[in-house]
Amino acid sequence: MSDITNSELDRRTLLRRAAAVGLAATPAVGMLSACVGGGEEDTTDQATGTKSADNPLGVDPKAPIEIVIFDGGLGTKYATDVDTPLYNKKWPESKVAYSATQEISTTVQPRLNAGDAPDMINNSGAKMMDFGAIVAAGQAQDLTELYAAPSFDIPGKTVAETLVPGTAEWGSYTGKPYALNYSYTVFGLWHNATLFEKNGWALPATWAEFTALCDKIQAAGIVPFGYAGANAAYYMVRALLTSAGKIGTEQVLKDIDNLKPGAWTAPAVLEAAKAWGEIGKKYLDKSFLGLKHTEVQLQQNQDKVAFYPCGSWLENEQAKDTPPTFKYAVAPYPSVTTSDKLPAAAMNAAAGEIYFASSKGKNPRGGMEYLRVMLSKEAATEFTKLTKSLTVVLGAADGVELSPGLTSANAALTKAGKDVFMGYLFDTWYKKLGDESLSAVNDLMFKGGDAQKFCDRMEAASQALAKDSSVQKQIRS
């Protein structure tokens, strides 16, 4: 494996990528059509300290802090072995209570509703909470002070100045930042480069090449393409909509986010649904509908599945089950038509993995300070080493020897150049619509559902939401 060093992950590279995905332009997340509810917070019992140059967020040095981390593809060692020790080094009198879960909504939502919220929460996974509803209920801390505060370990810079431009805006609702999207994720067709090299399989650039290769893979006794229907349908939604974005540009996805009439039945979405529906009929093992993500991923590690649609957390998530001969690599989703508006090399990459401080917890300032620790260069560098994932902290991966998968992801981003796009937000903004997309894509892929039915179903759900005055709407520009 060749090392990726400073020259390949420098500030200009990340800035270029940020601009390409729309982060460096005007805020991607616009204003809600109405103000959030929840009213003023009762901060009577919340811990506070005296603000100073050494304590810019006004943390109570002795106040305990509670954090809850999602135990998924990124693992939890970055929290237990890096972030928490750094926090304790800074605030030795503060006790950090830590827990991890794979079911965030089950564990945390009742506590938010009961007024017993943890101070910092990693909202992720198949059972992530509806973050738009959390913001609307006034349960998320405004992070404006965090981004304006001095960096934890980079002198002379604010936190915001150390991050990929637009990081704060991407997690904004009603014009204010509430979510920190920490991990920079590359999405595509993940595969074992060793297996492909061994069989002389060239990565496809066109859909005809893709299906022809799937035929070869199938003839070799390997499932050409797979994902887990039980809890990873999100991966397939992203694959389908990435193809739609390549066919018609990211505007197709912005229209979906903005609940524009006809967005889901647009030609680009229909073409993508038709193409992927055929893959489901011909090349997908239907038994995967009842499997969880790690079960299908294990089959891929055993070379029983060739292509897996996922993000760059995959390599770390499967580390304990990956044999030495398995070399993770990622390829862009092939062009669906001969007239796609974005080239075959175009990639979907995004800042994701939500972390937030609870505004109604006992120590929201401690929650923000924990995020400031996470956004230090030291913490971000160690995160990349431990998780094989980039962060939004500029330059944090400089000099780090990257894994095969992350090396491949970086090479794909470099090849894509300006044709890296962010994707969509509707599933984060409107959880009910996101859930509908999971069911709809499983029907399309596993049950022989046709593309028009998929598009019509999602269009109906989108427009029902658009007409529901009880749901606060958001605008993506």
Side-chain angles (χ1 to χ4, degrees), residues 450-461:
D450 66 52
Q452 190 64 58
K453 285 183 179 179
F454 169 83
C455 292
D456 289 344
R457 176 178 176 177
M458 291 308 302
E459 178 68 15

Side-chain angles (χ1 to χ4, degrees), residues 280-290 445-448:
K281 287 179 183 177
K282 296 179 180 178
Y283 306 114
L284 177 64
D285 187 330
K286 302 304 186 290
S287 71
F288 290 179
L289 175 60
M445 297 297 292
F446 287 105
K447 300 180 181 180

Side-chain angles (χ1 to χ4, degrees), residues 240-252:
L240 191 156
L241 291 183
T242 297
S243 291
K246 293 177 77 164
I247 294 169
T249 77
E250 194 172 14
Q251 186 60 48
V252 171

Side-chain angles (χ1 to χ4, degrees), residues 11-59:
R11 180 180 175 86
R12 287 187 300 169
T13 300
L14 284 173
L15 284 172
R16 188 193 73 236
R17 292 178 191 162
V21 297
L23 286 174
T26 55
V29 182
M31 301 289 186
L32 289 172
S33 59
C35 294
V36 295
E40 294 298 318
E41 301 163 18
D42 179 4
T43 59
T44 305
D45 299 324
Q46 292 182 334
T48 57
T50 302
K51 290 185 179 181
S52 65
D54 192 51
N55 185 8
L57 295 176
V59 174

Side-chain angles (χ1 to χ4, degrees), residues 91-390:
W91 308 107
E93 296 180 88
S94 174
K95 181 180 179 181
V96 178
Y98 159 86
S99 61
T101 178
Q102 293 185 346
E103 298 187 353
I104 287 291
S105 61
T106 304
T107 303
V108 177
Q109 190 72 62
R111 295 186 57 189
L112 287 177
N113 296 341
D116 179 36
D119 301 301
M120 198 289 292
I121 302 156
N122 172 202
N123 185 35
S124 186
K127 292 193 175 183
M128 67 186 295
M129 297 178 291
D130 183 341
F131 193 69
I134 288 172
V135 173
Q139 294 171 330
Q141 178 72 18
D142 179 350
L143 301 181
T144 300
E145 283 186 75
L146 166 66
Y147 289 115
S151 164
F152 193 79
D153 63 356
I154 303 177
K157 291 186 180 292
T158 65
V159 170
E161 289 170 341
T162 67
L163 308 180
V164 170
T167 298
E169 288 83 359
W170 193 247
S172 291
Y173 295 68
T174 67
K176 294 180 180 179
Y178 291 98
L180 166 62
N181 293 283
Y182 186 65
S183 178
Y184 190 77
T185 302
V186 180
F187 297 93
L189 282 171
W190 289 85
H191 57 282
N192 178 10
T194 303
L195 176 68
F196 276 62
E197 291 164 4
K198 174 185 173 183
N199 288 281
W201 294 336
L203 293 173
T206 68
W207 209 258
E209 291 172 354
F210 185 33
T211 55
L213 177 56
C214 285
D215 286 333
K216 290 181 182 179
I217 293 170
Q218 200 167 54
I222 299 171
V223 176
F225 176 86
Y227 76 95
N231 69 345
Y234 157 75
Y235 303 169
M236 191 61 234
V237 174
R238 184 166 285 274
L240 191 156
L241 291 183
T242 297
S243 291
K246 293 177 77 164
I247 294 169
T249 77
E250 194 172 14
Q251 186 60 48
V252 171
L253 309 183
K254 291 180 180 180
D255 289 345
I256 285 175
D257 286 344
N258 290 331
L259 308 179
K260 181 179 177 181
W264 281 99
T265 52
V269 182
L270 181 59
E271 286 287 345
K274 285 179 179 177
W276 281 111
E278 287 301 309
I279 296 295
K281 287 179 183 177
K282 296 179 180 178
Y283 306 114
L284 177 64
D285 187 330
K286 302 304 186 290
S287 71
F288 290 179
L289 175 60
L291 298 186
K292 293 184 177 181
H293 64 299
T294 49
E295 294 174 309
V296 179
Q297 289 162 195
L298 178 60
Q299 290 197 39
Q300 185 183 39
N301 291 145
Q302 297 167 344
D303 284 338
K304 296 177 181 178
V305 177
F307 284 120
Y308 187 75
C310 198
S312 46
W313 65 77
L314 174 64
E315 184 177 31
N316 185 66
E317 186 169 52
Q318 291 301 110
K320 65 180 177 61
D321 293 315
T322 305
T325 55
F326 194 104
K327 183 179 177 183
Y328 271 109
V330 65
Y333 294 111
S335 297
V336 174
T337 75
T338 57
S339 57
D340 283 11
K341 292 185 179 179
L342 294 180
M347 294 288 291
N348 173 213
E353 198 71 16
I354 291 176
Y355 297 78
F356 73 99
S358 171
S359 63
K360 295 185 178 179
K362 297 180 179 65
N363 191 2
R365 301 213 154 262
M368 284 198 292
E369 179 72 355
Y370 197 92
L371 295 177
R372 190 168 77 105
V373 168
M374 288 180 64
L375 291 170
S376 67
K377 188 170 184 178
E378 181 178 355
T381 298
E382 293 304 313
F383 178 91
T384 294
K385 290 179 181 178
L386 286 169
T387 68
K388 303 178 179 66
S389 297
L390 297 173

